[in-house]
Amino acid sequence: RDPSEANEFSRTKLTYESRANLAKSSIAKRLFNLMATKQTNLCLAADLTKSDEILDIADKCGPYICLLKTHVDIVEDFSESFISNLQALATRHNFLIMEDRKFVDIGNTVSLQYSKGVYKISNWADLVTAHTLPGRSIVQGLKAALDGEAAVKERGVFLLAEMSSSGNLIDDKYKESSNKIATEGSNVDFVAGIVCQSANCFAFPGLVQLTPGIKIDESVDKLGQQYQSPEHAVKERGADIGVVGRGILQAGNVQQAAINYRDRLWAAYTDRIAK
Amino acid sequence: RDPSEANEFSRTKLTYESRANLAKSSIAKRLFNLMATKQTNLCLAADLTKSDEILDIADKCGPYICLLKTHVDIVEDFSESFISNLQALATRHNFLIMEDRKFVDIGNTVSLQYSKGVYKISNWADLVTAHTLPGRSIVQGLKAALDGEAAVKERGVFLLAEMSSSGNLIDDKYKESSNKIATEGSNVDFVAGIVCQSANCFAFPGLVQLTPGIKIDESVDKLGQQYQSPEHAVKERGADIGVVGRGILQAGNVQQAAINYRDRLWAAYTDRIAK
């Protein structure tokens, strides 16, 4: 076995710093390094419907997160100043912004959805999410939207290879195809990571595993979302970044909740690489 | 075999009027009747980025279509007046509006995406599209957004059981699961139809088959979209409604192009039921 193959089978044993060096996507490299330097693998899912509330929670939790995940299409008072304020907070607190758009249309349409419309997502989101369901054209379509001057911006996509909702239709074959789309072909430099729930979902250590559905008290919500603990996600499921939404948003003290999640996710990571 | 079973195996041989009577979704019933009365099974995909252009083409093509399909998130100058103008055109020319959002997130998120944000899709779109990838919770989540007074509105979803992009990851098992989500359980009254490419994708005649990717000169675009002719779509592939985008949008005379597509799609349907 050559060293690269050995690395592939020990992705979860490697440090974020060493994985930064293996990344093909420059934004993945930046994210790994940011996590290592800032010592946080917490992503906040800022699923709120008022821009002031999002900015407030981004300011309070910013120091403890590597990534802020938005659903910009649920924000009722969206404006360009909301975006510029959010970007200012990202710079001040040193986190990246991911728009969790879950692009899933044909190439021509996702290209427009990514760069046009009210939101102009490609202008401000460092990262976006997309489903692999449409095939390779999803990555191609997103990348095509950046042609021209925007192409110099550091951008990337996280591909969904699993979902956290109960009864979802993703099977092993689907995961394998997603893995191939993420790691083969000429557009792999645009793929920063994989959204998934398990360590065996992909092997390439240059990709970041983002795992949603993390909550200290594990449970199921009334619309089918399944939760797991920070330790279980990082140590058993291979999460590099844990996404916490309602566990922080609904806490009495959001800042303290963010610190708790940051501490537990980071401790789980240091345990994982120490073993 | 009882009559209902016989019907199931001859979905494509039934008239739209008779299928209206079999629909479990009240908006599907309305759509089937509209198609029969107006004698059109053409859906225009108004994939344009300026609201004036969309209103202009909706006005020109409105008399010849049963459905106008929007991607509201690519419209750069979206406003509430754009929506009210579009609704006025829908009333004047008697067509329904479908927002092709392709919802594909967990229940709680799609519920917010459907009803909140800048677009407030549930306020104005008669129909929306969604992927079955997240499982049954996708229908449940969308329906949950209509709780309260909005629930009285006639609304429905088209579930994607196939895609037209080359190399997409949908297989037979996925299609079968989509079919079950569309026809079993307590939320089937919210499912108006299926977006798919083939007649064997589902059997229940009370659902409408919407087939995108129709163009008179069949071809493939540079981002993996595959096209088929109106006749092939309706007669061989089971399409009840054919979706035409670039075939009309890029025509020299859009009105004449809409008439041509309407005529060819409708003739293919009358041929289909006559045999």
Side-chain angles (χ1 to χ4, degrees):
Chain A
R1 271 157 69 158
D2 70 22
S4 74
E5 198 188 348
N7 277 343
E8 290 211 336
F9 288 98
S10 54
R11 163 174 77 88
T12 57
K13 298 295 177 194
L14 296 175
T15 63
Y16 296 146
E17 298 91 311
S18 59
R19 289 170 64 186
N21 294 325
L22 300 167
K24 287 180 186 163
S25 139
S26 59
I27 188 93
K29 193 182 289 282
R30 201 173 131 206
L31 181 55
F32 271 133
N33 282 325
L34 187 163
M35 292 157 70
T37 311
K38 197 174 169 183
Q39 302 204 339
T40 174
N41 50 355
L42 169 62
C43 169
L44 172 66
D47 297 342
L48 298 164
T49 58
K50 305 230 180 322
S51 56
D52 278 352
E53 289 174 6
I54 297 173
L55 294 172
D56 181 57
I57 208 161
D59 196 22
K60 283 181 178 143
C61 302
Y64 317 108
I65 63 176
C66 59
L67 195 60
L68 183 99
K69 189 170 80 60
T70 55
H71 277 297
V72 78
D73 57 349
I74 70 170
V75 180
E76 294 186 337
D77 55 350
F78 176 86
S79 65
E80 287 185 19
S81 71
F82 163 64
I83 292 298
S84 53
N85 286 329
L86 190 60
Q87 287 182 303
L89 291 172
T91 304
R92 186 186 318 156
H93 297 306
N94 190 29
F95 59 79
L96 299 185
I97 301 172
M98 167 183 275
E99 166 56 24
D100 192 7
R101 174 59 178 76
K102 295 190 175 65
F103 291 105
V104 68
D105 214 307
I106 61 170
N108 184 62
T109 301
V110 297
S111 186
L112 293 168
Q113 290 171 325
Y114 184 32
S115 58
K116 305 277 185 185
V118 170
Y119 299 134
K120 294 180 178 56
I121 296 169
S122 66
N123 279 1
W124 52 269
D126 301 297
L127 294 157
V128 293
T129 56
H131 281 291
T132 50
L133 192 67
R136 271 179 201 288
S137 56
I138 191 86
V139 182
Q140 211 183 338
L142 290 171
K143 217 180 151 187
L146 297 178
D147 273 355
E149 69 178 289
V152 294
K153 285 182 193 148
E154 237 177 16
R155 294 286 179 257
V157 66
F158 272 67
L159 297 175
L160 276 92
E162 287 181 313
M163 288 193 76
S164 55
S165 56
S166 57
N168 74 72
L169 306 191
I170 294 176
D171 59 13
D172 287 343
K173 197 177 141 201
Y174 186 104
K175 280 189 242 184
E176 202 183 304
S177 303
S178 302
N179 203 339
K180 282 189 183 161
I181 292 171
T183 55
E184 294 172 11
S186 57
N187 295 316
V188 292
D189 59 343
F190 194 69
V191 183
I194 306 283
V195 180
C196 66
Q197 302 286 325
S198 51
N200 63 7
C201 212
F202 68 97
F204 178 55
L207 292 168
V208 183
Q209 178 177 333
L210 186 85
T211 299
I214 293 181
K215 215 174 169 193
I216 285 170
D217 58 333
E218 305 178 36
S219 57
V220 177
D221 82 355
K222 68 181 196 308
L223 293 174
Q225 167 75 329
Q226 301 167 110
Y227 290 108
Q228 55 180 315
S229 73
E231 291 74 20
H232 187 72
V234 173
K235 291 180 178 178
E236 311 299 323
R237 302 294 197 90
D240 295 314
I241 298 179
V243 183
V244 182
R246 286 172 262 180
I248 292 174
L249 302 182
Q250 296 175 351
N253 182 335
V254 295
Q255 190 165 24
Q256 190 53 53
I259 293 171
N260 289 349
Y261 276 101
R262 190 267 320 259
D263 289 349
R264 286 181 60 168
L265 283 164
W266 190 258
Y269 158 69
T270 54
D271 261 22
R272 184 177 86 182
I273 53 167
K275 269 176 193 162
Chain B
R1 269 157 69 154
D2 70 22
S4 75
E5 197 187 350
N7 278 344
E8 290 211 336
F9 290 97
S10 55
R11 163 174 76 89
T12 58
K13 299 294 176 197
L14 297 176
T15 63
Y16 296 145
E17 298 91 311
S18 58
R19 289 171 64 185
N21 293 326
L22 300 167
K24 287 179 185 164
S25 140
S26 59
I27 188 93
K29 192 181 291 283
R30 200 172 133 206
L31 180 56
F32 271 131
N33 283 326
L34 188 163
M35 292 158 68
T37 312
K38 197 174 169 183
Q39 302 204 340
T40 173
N41 50 355
L42 169 62
C43 169
L44 172 65
D47 297 342
L48 298 165
T49 58
K50 304 229 181 322
S51 56
D52 279 353
E53 290 174 5
I54 296 172
L55 294 171
D56 181 58
I57 207 160
D59 197 21
K60 285 180 178 144
C61 302
Y64 317 107
I65 63 176
C66 58
L67 195 60
L68 183 98
K69 189 169 80 62
T70 55
H71 277 296
V72 77
D73 57 349
I74 71 171
V75 180
E76 295 187 336
D77 54 349
F78 175 87
S79 65
E80 287 184 19
S81 71
F82 162 64
I83 291 299
S84 53
N85 286 328
L86 189 61
Q87 287 181 304
L89 290 172
T91 304
R92 186 184 320 154
H93 297 305
N94 190 27
F95 59 80
L96 299 185
I97 301 173
M98 167 183 277
E99 166 56 24
D100 191 7
R101 173 60 177 77
K102 295 189 174 68
F103 291 104
V104 66
D105 215 307
I106 60 170
N108 185 61
T109 301
V110 297
S111 184
L112 293 168
Q113 290 171 326
Y114 183 32
S115 59
K116 305 277 183 182
V118 170
Y119 300 133
K120 293 180 179 56
I121 295 169
S122 65
N123 279 0
W124 54 268
D126 301 297
L127 294 157
V128 293
T129 57
H131 282 290
T132 51
L133 192 66
R136 271 180 198 288
S137 55
I138 192 86
V139 182
Q140 210 183 340
L142 290 170
K143 215 179 154 189
L146 296 177
D147 273 355
E149 69 177 290
V152 296
K153 286 183 192 147
E154 235 176 18
R155 294 285 179 259
V157 65
F158 271 67
L159 297 174
L160 276 92
E162 287 182 312
M163 289 192 75
S164 56
S165 55
S166 57
N168 75 71
L169 307 192
I170 293 175
D171 59 14
D172 287 344
K173 198 177 139 202
Y174 186 104
K175 279 189 244 183
E176 202 183 304
S177 303
S178 301
N179 203 338
K180 282 189 182 160
I181 292 171
T183 55
E184 295 172 10
S186 57
N187 295 316
V188 293
D189 60 341
F190 194 69
V191 182
I194 305 283
V195 181
C196 66
Q197 303 286 325
S198 52
N200 64 6
C201 213
F202 68 97
F204 178 57
L207 292 168
V208 183
Q209 177 178 336
L210 185 85
T211 299
I214 293 180
K215 215 173 169 193
I216 286 170
D217 58 335
E218 304 180 35
S219 58
V220 176
D221 83 354
K222 66 182 198 308
L223 294 173
Q225 168 75 327
Q226 300 166 113
Y227 289 108
Q228 55 180 315
S229 73
E231 292 75 19
H232 188 72
V234 173
K235 292 181 178 177
E236 309 300 323
R237 304 293 198 89
D240 295 314
I241 298 179
V243 183
V244 182
R246 286 173 261 181
I248 292 174
L249 303 182
Q250 297 174 351
N253 182 335
V254 296
Q255 191 164 24
Q256 191 52 55
I259 293 169
N260 289 350
Y261 275 102
R262 190 269 321 260
D263 289 349
R264 286 182 58 170
L265 283 164
W266 190 257
Y269 159 70
T270 52
D271 262 22
R272 185 177 85 181
I273 53 167
K275 271 177 193 163

